[in-house]
Amino acid sequence: MKRLIRFLLWLAGTAVFLLITAHFTLRYLLNAPKFKSAALTRIERITGRPAACGRIDYSLFPFALVVRDIALQEPGGGREFASLRSFSAVVDLRKKEIAALYFDRPTLYIAQNTDGTFNFSDWVAAKPAGASAPAGAPARPRPQPKPAPPPLTIRLVQIDHARIEFVRRNAAKGPKSFVVSDLDFTLHDFSPARPFRMKGRASLGGSSSFEFEFSAPPYADYTANPGAWPVGFNSRLDIRDFADLAAFLPPGTLPFQNLWATLNIQGALTEHLTILLHLETPGEPTLQFPMALQGGGQAEVSLPAPVAAHLFAGAPLPEDLQ
């Protein structure tokens, strides 16, 4: 009996030793210069932009991967195009689903050039000339549909303190910028079999803000009739400085002092969808801010179920609706 106990203790000790050794070996390999260099070289070849990455860590209980200080620069290495303080992915191996995705302080820089192109236009491949099939050519047979993969389940997606900067370059008047900062976004239960919940808030410019909330029951219960899927959407926009949105407004727009707007959507498209919109400038018009507005609208939308199925699921329309 003593020999059996000693053997079991030795076996357990050996298993713990091998597990610890594998843990530190994998952590070292993930941060080895050769591994990082190969991964970054592939990213640079795909994006056409210099890339950088900090330390890579992982944990076993729960199983999670953490990547820190990710950055993608503009072509030529001018300034950062996108960056991320840290990214974490937590996987529930028992349920075979993604438990959480965390994005800490992501940033994105978008610039529109004077010719109308953007700083990411090189990613959008132009359609080659003559790519369309010649007239009279026989149509290719449609490939057999592949079985649908199991639905992806993500229990939580969280973005903290994101920042998006949009710059419109103008050779005559100089660049105009619009900044979305302190953007917080949370998505619960990204899965057809679970109730859908999403909310977020952000600061616009120097003093304005925007917030929204979206919720809906499990989509899997409405796959046969997607138009009957009831949703709830509530949002509020507070513009406290006209300059915060000046980059997006058309030339000649009269300045206003304050503006707040609410948008509420409730119901299902095939049954009864109600849309409420309200706009108001609380202050009185002045010589500096001559624009004043107070108004709203309500719309009730309802579509036949075959039309909704055609729009959302690609189902063929009945002959009487074609």
Side-chain angles (χ1 to χ4, degrees):
M1 187 67 180
K2 290 183 178 180
R3 289 183 179 181
L4 179 60
I5 294 176
R6 288 178 182 177
F7 174 74
L8 293 177
L9 291 176
W10 174 84
L11 188 62
T14 303
V16 172
F17 173 77
L18 292 176
L19 184 61
I20 295 175
T21 303
H23 169 71
F24 285 103
T25 301
L26 181 58
R27 179 167 291 182
Y28 169 77
L29 292 176
L30 288 174
N31 292 278
K34 289 186 178 181
F35 174 78
K36 280 189 177 181
S37 177
L40 293 176
T41 299
R42 182 172 180 82
I43 294 174
E44 292 174 0
R45 187 164 53 247
I46 295 174
T47 63
R49 288 162 169 76
C53 176
R55 185 169 179 80
I56 304 175
D57 291 319
Y58 82 99
S59 63
L60 293 176
F61 306 103
F63 183 80
L65 180 69
V66 182
V67 185
R68 307 182 191 278
D69 299 325
I70 309 168
L72 197 64
Q73 294 184 336
E74 288 280 271
R79 61 163 295 166
E80 286 186 352
F81 170 73
S83 66
L84 188 61
R85 175 77 61 86
S86 68
F87 165 75
S88 305
V90 183
V91 180
D92 191 332
L93 299 177
R94 183 175 59 86
K95 295 182 178 180
K96 297 181 181 181
E97 62 184 20
I98 299 176
L101 296 176
Y102 297 103
F103 301 83
D104 183 31
R105 298 184 183 276
T107 65
L108 179 63
Y109 173 75
I110 301 175
Q112 184 180 20
N113 302 314
T114 55
D115 59 356
T117 61
F118 293 88
N119 59 341
F120 56 85
S121 295
D122 56 315
W123 289 354
V124 182
K127 185 178 180 180
S132 58
R140 294 181 179 180
R142 291 186 178 181
Q144 293 294 330
K146 298 181 179 180
L152 176 65
T153 298
I154 305 176
R155 292 207 300 265
L156 175 66
V157 177
Q158 186 169 319
I159 300 175
D160 293 325
H161 303 294
R163 175 185 171 89
I164 302 173
E165 182 179 359
F166 174 79
V167 175
R168 178 177 292 169
R169 294 165 180 160
N170 190 320
K173 300 181 181 180
K176 292 183 178 181
S177 63
F178 173 74
V179 178
V180 178
S181 59
D182 294 327
L183 191 156
D184 297 330
F185 173 84
T186 304
L187 187 152
H188 293 275
D189 297 325
F190 181 79
S191 171
R194 296 179 179 178
F196 189 82
R197 294 173 295 158
M198 179 173 57
K199 64 179 181 180
R201 64 166 306 278
S203 298
L204 309 178
S207 57
S208 303
S209 63
F210 173 74
E211 58 184 19
F212 75 94
E213 185 173 358
F214 179 89
S215 61
Y219 182 76
D221 298 340
Y222 299 88
T223 53
N225 186 11
W229 189 40
V231 300
F233 178 80
N234 300 307
S235 64
R236 179 183 175 93
L237 174 67
D238 285 314
I239 305 299
R240 300 176 183 175
D241 189 349
F242 177 78
D244 291 339
L245 288 184
F248 282 103
L249 297 176
T253 302
L254 294 177
F256 50 83
Q257 188 172 6
N258 294 293
L259 171 68
W260 63 267
T262 59
L263 175 64
N264 306 99
I265 302 175
Q266 303 287 334
L269 193 58
T270 59
E271 296 178 359
H272 188 81
L273 186 70
T274 303
I275 304 174
L276 297 174
L277 175 65
H278 185 80
L279 301 168
E280 183 176 349
T281 53
E284 295 293 332
T286 63
L287 293 177
Q288 185 179 2
F289 302 102
M291 182 177 175
L293 174 67
Q294 184 173 3
Q298 177 175 345
E300 296 182 357
V301 182
S302 180
L303 289 177
V307 176
H310 174 73
L311 294 175
F312 292 101
L317 283 173
E319 294 183 359
D320 57 338
L321 294 177
Q322 293 181 1

